[in-house]
Amino acid sequence: MVKKIFRRHGHRFMLAGLLLTALLLTGTILLYKGLGWQADFEITDDLGGSIFPSAILSTATTDALIVKPTDTLYVGNPKSVISIRLQCPQPNSRVRIEVSETPFFRNSVSEFILPRKGATYTIYPDMIWNYEALRGNDMAEPVSVAVQVKINDQKPTHRVRTFSVRSINECLLGYVGGDNKYHSTAVFFAAYVNEENPLIDEILREALNTGIVNRFSGYQSKQSGSVDKQVYALWHVLQKRRFRYSSISYSSLSSNLVFSQRVRTFEDALKSSQVNCVDGSVLFASLLRSINIDPVLVRLPGHMFVGYYTDVKHGDIHFLETTMIGDIDLETLFPEIGTDSTAVKQSQNDLSHLSFEKSKAYAHRKYEAQKENFGADKRNYMFLEISRDIRRIIQPIGK
């Protein structure tokens, strides 16, 4: 009985099977050709969804790659910050990526060829940054990044991800990469040393008016103590401008993967006459670089001070604790006149120079106590020379 039923209906089963097979084959072909199929991708980055304007601006004209890709299989320029991760569907796939415009970058279209089928690529599309918007961003700002990806002749796919554009005052210190290792980026402190700021001319003119030096010659003078005298002239002017210590150094960025430090720009520090240890160090380093004296930013756990070489061959170095600039108020001590007083035993110049020497002695002791930690690749230690070599990597961010 069963055999008769099978004979009677077998051809129907076969036809149904053939039809199902044909439908599957057709679907596979359609899928392969990209009809009705969409590429799957994700919008990624190496800094936990944070965009640092200071990092972008300071490396915009250099070849430096400070934040290196976590994935080894990547295409494009990692300095673009924002990336796309997807799997290559077939050999030599053509990928078209369009990034929509935001206040911080313009609309851009990039195209790539991915050679390896089945491989997962990280792709860095071209980013046309609005540098003025980045430079003017003084507080954290959310931005929605919309991306469209099209592979070969497939339908394009859209994704949106929200990033945080950090303040221009946030310096990226380091990050934990996909390898679970900490990568230091403290070299970005050099971005806040701005020896080209036009306001420096005001400081130099005021320093010359004190009569402590008659010119800023850098290392050209052969006279003993010439460099220290020039540095003291700058110290004295900042004291006369009544700079004060301010402990504000927090960052609004809270993360176990990305670390940053708030730093005032040169212009902000001059306007507010307030500095913490980092602000004072980068401000003083800016002044030193402007008169062709080579400075060093020295970072310890929770602290920073500035050093400077006293000779062109870098055979000798002195250090300054810039937070001590505000230890005395010259105008309060000498309220009736703005210059040195001969009516008292000590003048503005005497007290200012005394604080300068104490600052040098204090910073020197700090350095001597910790110097074995520099060069040991320790996380919170840095000895960063602001030299011509560093300027090939990190440029001043301006403002």
Side-chain angles (χ1 to χ4, degrees):
M1 184 67 178
V2 175
K3 289 182 180 180
K4 287 181 180 181
I5 294 173
F6 183 78
R7 289 195 200 101
R8 188 183 307 166
H9 300 285
H11 67 284
R12 295 180 183 176
F13 293 140
M14 290 179 63
L15 287 173
L18 289 172
L19 181 60
L20 179 60
T21 302
L23 288 172
L24 289 172
L25 286 172
T26 302
T28 302
I29 293 170
L30 291 175
L31 183 63
Y32 181 77
K33 288 184 176 180
L35 300 177
W37 189 83
Q38 293 180 311
D40 188 25
F41 72 94
E42 61 177 322
I43 304 173
T44 62
D45 75 301
D46 293 302
L47 297 177
S50 292
I51 297 173
F52 286 86
S54 57
I56 295 169
L57 289 165
S58 62
T59 58
T61 59
T62 75
D63 295 326
L65 185 58
I66 310 300
V67 179
K68 296 178 180 172
T70 298
D71 296 328
T72 56
L73 191 59
Y74 71 88
V75 293
N77 184 359
K79 286 168 66 176
S80 294
V81 180
I82 297 168
S83 58
I84 309 302
R85 185 176 292 121
L86 55 79
Q87 188 176 49
C88 179
Q90 55 182 304
N92 298 317
S93 290
R94 299 186 313 277
V95 179
R96 182 184 185 276
I97 300 174
E98 181 173 357
V99 183
S100 298
E101 184 172 358
T102 73
F104 297 100
F105 49 81
R106 294 199 293 274
N107 185 84
S108 66
V109 175
S110 310
E111 294 187 353
F112 302 90
I113 300 293
L114 307 183
R116 292 169 50 184
K117 177 182 178 180
T120 299
Y121 284 88
T122 296
I123 308 172
Y124 293 90
D126 295 328
M127 300 296 294
I128 307 175
W129 295 105
N130 182 340
Y131 294 118
E132 286 306 311
L134 291 173
R135 188 175 284 108
N137 198 56
D138 56 7
M139 62 185 296
E141 183 87 14
V143 62
S144 295
V145 177
V147 179
Q148 175 183 284
V149 173
K150 183 178 181 181
I151 300 180
N152 298 323
D153 297 324
Q154 300 163 1
K155 287 184 177 181
T157 304
H158 302 263
R159 294 279 186 275
V160 177
R161 182 184 172 192
T162 300
F163 284 77
S164 176
V165 181
R166 313 309 302 179
S167 164
I168 187 66
N169 296 106
E170 287 198 38
C171 177
L172 177 63
L173 300 181
Y175 63 98
V176 178
D179 54 3
N180 291 321
K181 293 181 180 179
Y182 179 79
H183 301 270
S184 174
T185 58
V187 67
F188 282 125
F189 276 120
Y192 294 88
V193 178
N194 187 7
E195 64 270 28
E196 300 171 357
N197 193 294
L199 295 177
I200 287 179
D201 287 340
E202 296 179 18
I203 304 293
L204 299 185
R205 172 47 54 192
E206 290 175 28
L208 292 174
N209 289 342
T210 65
I212 295 172
V213 294
N214 55 24
R215 68 189 183 105
F216 288 104
S217 58
Y219 296 120
Q220 294 179 12
S221 175
K222 304 299 181 183
Q223 190 174 6
S224 176
S226 169
V227 169
D228 261 348
K229 200 171 185 180
Q230 294 174 71
V231 176
Y232 166 60
L234 299 174
W235 174 278
H236 184 65
V237 165
L238 294 182
Q239 283 197 322
K240 287 176 71 68
R241 279 182 168 240
R242 306 179 80 170
F243 267 76
R244 291 293 176 264
Y245 174 75
S246 169
S247 63
I248 299 175
S249 62
Y250 64 85
S251 166
S252 59
L253 177 63
S254 177
S255 171
N256 292 324
L257 300 177
V258 181
F259 305 86
S260 68
Q261 162 80 46
R262 186 180 186 277
V263 186
R264 290 183 178 92
T265 63
F266 186 92
E267 192 166 317
D268 290 340
L270 283 186
K271 188 181 297 184
S272 65
S273 292
Q274 296 183 72
V275 292
N276 59 29
C277 61
V278 177
D279 304 330
S281 295
V282 298
L283 182 143
F284 217 99
S286 301
L287 295 171
L288 293 174
R289 276 285 296 174
S290 73
I291 60 174
N292 296 314
I293 293 175
D294 298 329
V296 177
L297 297 179
V298 184
R299 182 171 175 245
L300 310 170
H303 190 55
M304 181 182 288
F305 54 91
V306 67
Y308 58 94
Y309 289 105
T310 62
D311 62 298
V312 70
K313 294 183 179 179
H314 293 184
D316 184 45
I317 188 170
H318 291 177
F319 302 97
L320 279 176
E321 176 55 60
T322 58
T323 61
M324 294 176 68
I325 290 175
D327 279 2
I328 60 172
D329 187 334
L330 298 180
E331 299 303 324
T332 300
L333 290 170
F334 302 88
E336 296 179 0
I337 53 176
T339 57
D340 290 352
S341 171
T342 56
V344 292
K345 293 182 179 180
Q346 287 186 307
S347 67
Q348 279 189 356
N349 186 39
D350 290 333
L351 290 178
S352 182
H353 194 268
L354 179 62
S355 69
F356 175 70
E357 292 297 332
K358 285 186 174 181
S359 166
K360 286 172 58 180
Y362 179 84
H364 178 77
R365 290 196 300 271
K366 283 273 190 181
Y367 175 74
E368 287 295 321
Q370 301 280 356
K371 65 180 181 180
E372 70 277 2
N373 293 308
F374 299 108
D377 197 27
K378 290 193 175 182
R379 180 164 170 171
N380 293 313
Y381 292 85
M382 178 186 74
F383 189 90
L384 180 62
E385 297 182 0
I386 310 299
S387 61
R388 291 178 181 175
D389 289 338
I390 205 66
R391 282 296 177 237
R392 296 188 185 101
I393 300 173
I394 302 291
Q395 290 289 310
I397 59 176
K399 193 185 177 185

Short mmCIF file of all heavy atoms in Angstrom, two decimals, residues 138-182:
data_model
loop_
_atom_site.label_atom_id
_atom_site.label_comp_id
_atom_site.label_asym_id
_atom_site.label_seq_id
_atom_site.Cartn_x
_atom_site.Cartn_y
_atom_site.Cartn_z
N ASP A 138 35.61 74.46 23.56
CA ASP A 138 36.16 74.60 24.91
C ASP A 138 35.41 73.77 25.95
O ASP A 138 35.66 73.92 27.16
CB ASP A 138 36.18 76.07 25.33
CG ASP A 138 34.82 76.73 25.23
OD1 ASP A 138 33.83 76.02 24.96
OD2 ASP A 138 34.75 77.96 25.42
N MET A 139 34.49 72.92 25.52
CA MET A 139 33.86 71.98 26.44
C MET A 139 33.43 70.74 25.65
O MET A 139 33.29 70.79 24.43
CB MET A 139 32.66 72.61 27.14
CG MET A 139 31.54 73.05 26.23
SD MET A 139 30.23 73.92 27.12
CE MET A 139 29.65 72.61 28.20
N ALA A 140 33.26 69.62 26.36
CA ALA A 140 32.91 68.37 25.69
C ALA A 140 31.58 68.52 24.95
O ALA A 140 30.62 69.08 25.49
CB ALA A 140 32.83 67.23 26.70
N GLU A 141 31.54 68.02 23.73
CA GLU A 141 30.38 68.20 22.87
C GLU A 141 30.03 66.86 22.21
O GLU A 141 30.87 66.26 21.54
CB GLU A 141 30.70 69.24 21.79
CG GLU A 141 29.56 69.57 20.88
CD GLU A 141 28.68 70.68 21.43
OE1 GLU A 141 29.11 71.37 22.38
OE2 GLU A 141 27.57 70.84 20.91
N PRO A 142 28.79 66.37 22.38
CA PRO A 142 28.41 65.14 21.67
C PRO A 142 28.17 65.41 20.20
O PRO A 142 27.68 66.48 19.82
CB PRO A 142 27.10 64.72 22.37
CG PRO A 142 26.52 66.00 22.87
CD PRO A 142 27.69 66.89 23.22
N VAL A 143 28.52 64.45 19.35
CA VAL A 143 28.29 64.59 17.92
C VAL A 143 27.90 63.23 17.35
O VAL A 143 28.50 62.21 17.68
CB VAL A 143 29.54 65.15 17.19
CG1 VAL A 143 30.74 64.22 17.34
CG2 VAL A 143 29.26 65.40 15.73
N SER A 144 26.84 63.22 16.55
CA SER A 144 26.37 61.98 15.91
C SER A 144 27.09 61.81 14.58
O SER A 144 26.98 62.67 13.70
CB SER A 144 24.86 62.03 15.70
OG SER A 144 24.18 62.05 16.94
N VAL A 145 27.80 60.71 14.45
CA VAL A 145 28.54 60.41 13.23
C VAL A 145 27.73 59.42 12.41
O VAL A 145 27.50 58.29 12.83
CB VAL A 145 29.94 59.84 13.56
CG1 VAL A 145 30.67 59.47 12.27
CG2 VAL A 145 30.74 60.85 14.37
N ALA A 146 27.27 59.86 11.24
CA ALA A 146 26.46 59.02 10.35
C ALA A 146 27.32 58.54 9.19
O ALA A 146 27.97 59.35 8.52
CB ALA A 146 25.26 59.79 9.83
N VAL A 147 27.32 57.22 8.97
CA VAL A 147 28.17 56.62 7.94
C VAL A 147 27.33 55.73 7.03
O VAL A 147 26.45 55.00 7.51
CB VAL A 147 29.30 55.79 8.58
CG1 VAL A 147 30.17 55.14 7.50
CG2 VAL A 147 30.16 56.66 9.49
N GLN A 148 27.61 55.80 5.73
CA GLN A 148 26.98 54.91 4.75
C GLN A 148 28.07 54.10 4.07
O GLN A 148 29.07 54.66 3.62
CB GLN A 148 26.21 55.71 3.70
CG GLN A 148 25.63 54.86 2.58
CD GLN A 148 24.94 55.69 1.53
OE1 GLN A 148 23.83 56.16 1.74
NE2 GLN A 148 25.60 55.91 0.39
N VAL A 149 27.88 52.78 4.02
CA VAL A 149 28.86 51.88 3.41
C VAL A 149 28.20 51.09 2.29
O VAL A 149 27.11 50.53 2.46
CB VAL A 149 29.46 50.91 4.46
CG1 VAL A 149 30.35 49.87 3.79
CG2 VAL A 149 30.27 51.69 5.49
N LYS A 150 28.90 51.03 1.16
CA LYS A 150 28.43 50.23 0.02
C LYS A 150 29.57 49.34 -0.44
O LYS A 150 30.68 49.80 -0.70
CB LYS A 150 27.98 51.14 -1.12
CG LYS A 150 27.42 50.39 -2.32
CD LYS A 150 26.95 51.35 -3.40
CE LYS A 150 26.37 50.58 -4.58
NZ LYS A 150 25.92 51.50 -5.66
N ILE A 151 29.28 48.02 -0.53
CA ILE A 151 30.28 47.05 -0.98
C ILE A 151 29.87 46.52 -2.35
O ILE A 151 28.75 46.02 -2.53
CB ILE A 151 30.42 45.88 0.01
CG1 ILE A 151 30.84 46.40 1.38
CG2 ILE A 151 31.44 44.87 -0.49
CD1 ILE A 151 31.02 45.33 2.42
N ASN A 152 30.79 46.63 -3.31
CA ASN A 152 30.54 46.19 -4.69
C ASN A 152 29.23 46.82 -5.19
O ASN A 152 29.05 48.02 -5.10
CB ASN A 152 30.52 44.67 -4.77
CG ASN A 152 31.87 44.07 -4.36
OD1 ASN A 152 32.92 44.64 -4.67
ND2 ASN A 152 31.85 42.95 -3.66
N ASP A 153 28.30 45.99 -5.67
CA ASP A 153 27.02 46.52 -6.18
C ASP A 153 25.87 46.31 -5.20
O ASP A 153 24.70 46.38 -5.58
CB ASP A 153 26.68 45.83 -7.51
CG ASP A 153 27.72 46.13 -8.58
OD1 ASP A 153 28.22 47.28 -8.59
OD2 ASP A 153 28.03 45.24 -9.39
N GLN A 154 26.21 46.04 -3.95
CA GLN A 154 25.18 45.80 -2.95
C GLN A 154 24.49 47.10 -2.55
O GLN A 154 25.00 48.19 -2.79
CB GLN A 154 25.80 45.13 -1.72
CG GLN A 154 26.45 43.79 -2.02
CD GLN A 154 27.40 43.36 -0.93
OE1 GLN A 154 27.55 44.06 0.07
NE2 GLN A 154 28.03 42.22 -1.10
N LYS A 155 23.35 46.96 -1.90
CA LYS A 155 22.66 48.13 -1.37
C LYS A 155 23.49 48.74 -0.24
O LYS A 155 24.09 48.03 0.55
CB LYS A 155 21.28 47.74 -0.83
CG LYS A 155 20.25 47.42 -1.90
CD LYS A 155 18.90 47.15 -1.26
CE LYS A 155 17.84 46.90 -2.33
NZ LYS A 155 16.50 46.65 -1.72
N PRO A 156 23.53 50.07 -0.17
CA PRO A 156 24.30 50.72 0.91
C PRO A 156 23.64 50.50 2.27
O PRO A 156 22.42 50.34 2.38
CB PRO A 156 24.29 52.20 0.54
CG PRO A 156 23.09 52.35 -0.35
CD PRO A 156 22.94 51.05 -1.09
N THR A 157 24.46 50.46 3.30
CA THR A 157 24.00 50.30 4.68
C THR A 157 24.34 51.56 5.47
O THR A 157 25.40 52.16 5.29
CB THR A 157 24.67 49.09 5.35
OG1 THR A 157 24.43 47.93 4.56
CG2 THR A 157 24.12 48.86 6.74
N HIS A 158 23.46 51.96 6.37
CA HIS A 158 23.64 53.17 7.17
C HIS A 158 23.82 52.79 8.64
O HIS A 158 23.16 51.90 9.15
CB HIS A 158 22.44 54.10 7.04
CG HIS A 158 22.16 54.52 5.63
ND1 HIS A 158 22.59 55.71 5.10
CD2 HIS A 158 21.48 53.89 4.63
CE1 HIS A 158 22.19 55.81 3.85
NE2 HIS A 158 21.52 54.72 3.54
N ARG A 159 24.72 53.50 9.30
CA ARG A 159 24.91 53.36 10.75
C ARG A 159 25.14 54.75 11.34
O ARG A 159 25.69 55.64 10.69
CB ARG A 159 26.11 52.46 11.08
CG ARG A 159 25.95 51.00 10.66
CD ARG A 159 25.12 50.22 11.66
NE ARG A 159 25.09 48.81 11.32
CZ ARG A 159 24.27 48.23 10.46
NH1 ARG A 159 23.37 48.99 9.83
NH2 ARG A 159 24.32 46.94 10.22
N VAL A 160 24.78 54.90 12.62
CA VAL A 160 25.03 56.15 13.34
C VAL A 160 25.61 55.81 14.70
O VAL A 160 25.15 54.88 15.38
CB VAL A 160 23.73 56.97 13.52
CG1 VAL A 160 24.02 58.23 14.34
CG2 VAL A 160 23.14 57.35 12.17
N ARG A 161 26.62 56.56 15.10
CA ARG A 161 27.20 56.38 16.43
C ARG A 161 27.53 57.75 17.02
O ARG A 161 28.00 58.64 16.30
CB ARG A 161 28.47 55.53 16.37
CG ARG A 161 29.09 55.29 17.75
CD ARG A 161 30.40 54.53 17.67
NE ARG A 161 31.06 54.48 18.95
CZ ARG A 161 32.31 54.10 19.14
NH1 ARG A 161 33.04 53.72 18.10
NH2 ARG A 161 32.85 54.10 20.34
N THR A 162 27.27 57.93 18.30
CA THR A 162 27.55 59.20 18.96
C THR A 162 28.94 59.19 19.57
O THR A 162 29.29 58.29 20.34
CB THR A 162 26.50 59.49 20.05
OG1 THR A 162 25.20 59.54 19.44
CG2 THR A 162 26.78 60.82 20.72
N PHE A 163 29.73 60.20 19.23
CA PHE A 163 31.06 60.40 19.79
C PHE A 163 31.05 61.62 20.70
O PHE A 163 30.13 62.44 20.65
CB PHE A 163 32.09 60.62 18.68
CG PHE A 163 32.49 59.36 17.95
CD1 PHE A 163 31.65 58.79 17.00
CD2 PHE A 163 33.71 58.75 18.20
CE1 PHE A 163 32.01 57.65 16.31
CE2 PHE A 163 34.08 57.60 17.51
CZ PHE A 163 33.22 57.05 16.58
N SER A 164 32.08 61.74 21.53
CA SER A 164 32.26 62.92 22.37
C SER A 164 33.49 63.68 21.89
O SER A 164 34.60 63.17 21.94
CB SER A 164 32.44 62.53 23.83
OG SER A 164 32.69 63.67 24.63
N VAL A 165 33.27 64.89 21.39
CA VAL A 165 34.39 65.74 21.00
C VAL A 165 34.86 66.48 22.25
O VAL A 165 34.14 67.29 22.82
CB VAL A 165 33.98 66.75 19.90
CG1 VAL A 165 35.17 67.61 19.49
CG2 VAL A 165 33.41 66.02 18.69
N ARG A 166 36.06 66.16 22.68
CA ARG A 166 36.56 66.71 23.94
C ARG A 166 36.94 68.18 23.81
O ARG A 166 37.08 68.71 22.70
CB ARG A 166 37.78 65.90 24.42
CG ARG A 166 37.62 64.40 24.40
CD ARG A 166 36.37 63.91 25.08
NE ARG A 166 36.27 64.31 26.48
CZ ARG A 166 35.25 64.01 27.27
NH1 ARG A 166 34.23 63.32 26.79
NH2 ARG A 166 35.23 64.40 28.52
N SER A 167 37.14 68.83 24.91
CA SER A 167 37.58 70.22 24.93
C SER A 167 38.99 70.34 24.37
O SER A 167 39.82 69.42 24.52
CB SER A 167 37.55 70.75 26.37
OG SER A 167 38.30 71.94 26.47
N ILE A 168 39.27 71.48 23.74
CA ILE A 168 40.62 71.75 23.25
C ILE A 168 41.62 71.72 24.39
O ILE A 168 42.81 71.48 24.19
CB ILE A 168 40.67 73.12 22.53
CG1 ILE A 168 42.02 73.36 21.86
CG2 ILE A 168 40.36 74.25 23.51
CD1 ILE A 168 42.30 72.42 20.71
N ASN A 169 41.15 71.91 25.62
CA ASN A 169 42.04 71.94 26.79
C ASN A 169 42.35 70.55 27.35
O ASN A 169 43.10 70.44 28.32
CB ASN A 169 41.44 72.79 27.90
CG ASN A 169 41.30 74.24 27.50
OD1 ASN A 169 40.21 74.71 27.24
ND2 ASN A 169 42.40 74.95 27.43
N GLU A 170 41.78 69.52 26.77
CA GLU A 170 42.07 68.17 27.26
C GLU A 170 43.20 67.54 26.46
O GLU A 170 43.10 67.35 25.25
CB GLU A 170 40.81 67.29 27.20
CG GLU A 170 39.80 67.66 28.25
CD GLU A 170 38.78 66.56 28.49
OE1 GLU A 170 39.16 65.37 28.47
OE2 GLU A 170 37.61 66.89 28.69
N CYS A 171 44.26 67.24 27.17
CA CYS A 171 45.44 66.60 26.57
C CYS A 171 45.35 65.10 26.79
O CYS A 171 45.21 64.63 27.92
CB CYS A 171 46.71 67.16 27.20
SG CYS A 171 48.23 66.38 26.60
N LEU A 172 45.43 64.34 25.71
CA LEU A 172 45.38 62.89 25.80
C LEU A 172 46.69 62.36 26.37
O LEU A 172 47.76 62.53 25.78
CB LEU A 172 45.13 62.29 24.41
CG LEU A 172 45.11 60.76 24.30
CD1 LEU A 172 43.97 60.17 25.12
CD2 LEU A 172 44.99 60.33 22.84
N LEU A 173 46.61 61.73 27.54
CA LEU A 173 47.81 61.20 28.22
C LEU A 173 48.15 59.79 27.79
O LEU A 173 49.32 59.40 27.73
CB LEU A 173 47.62 61.22 29.73
CG LEU A 173 47.37 62.56 30.39
CD1 LEU A 173 47.22 62.38 31.89
CD2 LEU A 173 48.49 63.53 30.08
N GLY A 174 47.12 58.98 27.50
CA GLY A 174 47.35 57.59 27.14
C GLY A 174 46.04 56.83 27.06
O GLY A 174 44.98 57.36 27.40
N TYR A 175 46.12 55.60 26.60
CA TYR A 175 44.92 54.78 26.45
C TYR A 175 45.30 53.30 26.54
O TYR A 175 46.46 52.93 26.32
CB TYR A 175 44.25 55.06 25.09
CG TYR A 175 45.10 54.69 23.90
CD1 TYR A 175 44.92 53.48 23.22
CD2 TYR A 175 46.11 55.55 23.44
CE1 TYR A 175 45.70 53.13 22.13
CE2 TYR A 175 46.90 55.20 22.36
CZ TYR A 175 46.69 54.01 21.71
OH TYR A 175 47.49 53.65 20.63
N VAL A 176 44.32 52.49 26.88
CA VAL A 176 44.50 51.05 26.90
C VAL A 176 43.96 50.51 25.58
O VAL A 176 42.78 50.66 25.26
CB VAL A 176 43.76 50.41 28.08
CG1 VAL A 176 43.91 48.89 28.05
CG2 VAL A 176 44.29 50.96 29.40
N GLY A 177 44.84 49.91 24.79
CA GLY A 177 44.46 49.43 23.47
C GLY A 177 43.79 48.08 23.50
O GLY A 177 43.56 47.48 24.56
N GLY A 178 43.47 47.57 22.30
CA GLY A 178 42.84 46.26 22.19
C GLY A 178 43.74 45.14 22.68
O GLY A 178 43.27 44.03 22.93
N ASP A 179 45.04 45.42 22.81
CA ASP A 179 45.98 44.43 23.34
C ASP A 179 46.01 44.45 24.86
O ASP A 179 46.84 43.76 25.47
CB ASP A 179 47.38 44.69 22.78
CG ASP A 179 47.85 46.12 23.03
OD1 ASP A 179 47.11 46.91 23.68
OD2 ASP A 179 48.94 46.48 22.56
N ASN A 180 45.14 45.26 25.48
CA ASN A 180 45.06 45.40 26.95
C ASN A 180 46.33 45.98 27.56
O ASN A 180 46.60 45.78 28.75
CB ASN A 180 44.71 44.06 27.61
CG ASN A 180 43.29 43.62 27.30
OD1 ASN A 180 42.37 44.44 27.26
ND2 ASN A 180 43.10 42.34 27.06
N LYS A 181 47.10 46.70 26.76
CA LYS A 181 48.32 47.36 27.25
C LYS A 181 48.11 48.87 27.25
O LYS A 181 47.38 49.41 26.41
CB LYS A 181 49.51 47.00 26.37
CG LYS A 181 49.93 45.53 26.45
CD LYS A 181 51.14 45.27 25.57
CE LYS A 181 51.58 43.81 25.64
NZ LYS A 181 52.74 43.54 24.76
N TYR A 182 48.77 49.54 28.19
CA TYR A 182 48.69 51.00 28.25
C TYR A 182 49.67 51.60 27.26
O TYR A 182 50.85 51.24 27.22
CB TYR A 182 49.01 51.49 29.66
CG TYR A 182 48.96 52.99 29.80
CD1 TYR A 182 47.75 53.65 29.93
CD2 TYR A 182 50.13 53.74 29.79
CE1 TYR A 182 47.69 55.04 30.06
CE2 TYR A 182 50.09 55.14 29.92
CZ TYR A 182 48.87 55.76 30.04
OH TYR A 182 48.82 57.13 30.16
#
